[in-house]
């Protein structure tokens, strides 16, 4: 009976579990709040952190000093801006020398190609007319190509005919020579016959 009386009822067990769950949820909520605060601090550390604020203050102070110098030298700067800068050396820090070399190469290349770029820009309004001219020129070239092909075919045919004629000329000459030789041999026959008849009559 004593052992049975020690056992707690199920309702009290569930109540203790519910209490544990609520405690865990409250702890999770607290941790989430801390995480959000840390994220916010990380995002705004360049605004609220003393180290970054000191850097920004130093940068602003240097800019302020520079502006004060510019305001003090305002008259001389205005005179320098009004005067054209020609054959003057601009002081450049050694750190930027390699960049200036690259910049000068780009500037030289740009100046060399400037006239071509300007010519291209000037020709932009005439692109349609130039395309029409190019299409007409291509059509004329096609016509000339066809005419050239026909002319080449005619030349080849004429050459074949000339070769046939040139190959038949020796045959014609040979036939003429043969006929001429036959005439030379046959022509004395009447004379010989007359002579033979005359000799017979004299006999």
């Amino acid at each position: 009976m004593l052992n049975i009386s020690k056992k707690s009822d199920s309702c009290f067990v569930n109540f203790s579990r519910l209490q544990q769950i609520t405690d865990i949820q409250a702890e999770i909520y607290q941790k989430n709040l801390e995480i959000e605060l840390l994220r916010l601090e990380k995002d705004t550390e360049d605004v609220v952190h003393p180290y970054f604020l000191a850097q920004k203050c130093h940068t602003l102070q240097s800019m302020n000093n520079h502006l004060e110098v510019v305001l003090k030298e305002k008259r001389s700067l205005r005179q320098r801006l009004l005067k054209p800068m020609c054959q003057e050396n601009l002081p450049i820090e050694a750190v930027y020398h390699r960049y200036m070399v690259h910049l000068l190469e780009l500037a030289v290349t740009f100046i060399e190609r400037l006239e071509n770029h300007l010519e291209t820009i000037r020709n932009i309004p005439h692109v349609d007319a130039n395309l029409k001219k190019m299409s007409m020129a291509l059509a004329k070239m096609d016509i000339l190509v066809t005419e050239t092909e026909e002319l080449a075919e005619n030349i080849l045919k004429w050459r074949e005919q000339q070769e046939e004629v040139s190959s038949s000329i020796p045959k014609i000459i040979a036939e003429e020579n043969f006929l001429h030789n036959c005439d030379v041999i046959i022509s004395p026959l009447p004379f010989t016959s007359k002579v033979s008849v005359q000799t017979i009559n004299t006999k």
Side-chain angles (χ1 to χ4, degrees), residues 21 37 48 51 77 90 97 110 116 122 134 141 185:
I21 290 170
L37 288 173
V48 297
Y51 175 74
L77 288 172
L90 297 176
H97 283 181
F110 176 76
N116 294 329
R122 292 192 197 100
M134 286 178 65
M141 285 180 65
I185 295 169

Side-chain angles (χ1 to χ4, degrees), residues 8-25:
S8 59
D9 295 331
S10 59
C11 63
F12 294 108
V13 174
N14 292 330
F15 180 76
S16 63
R17 287 180 180 175
L18 183 62
Q19 186 66 32
Q20 290 177 357
I21 290 170
T22 53
D23 293 338
I24 291 170
Q25 287 179 349

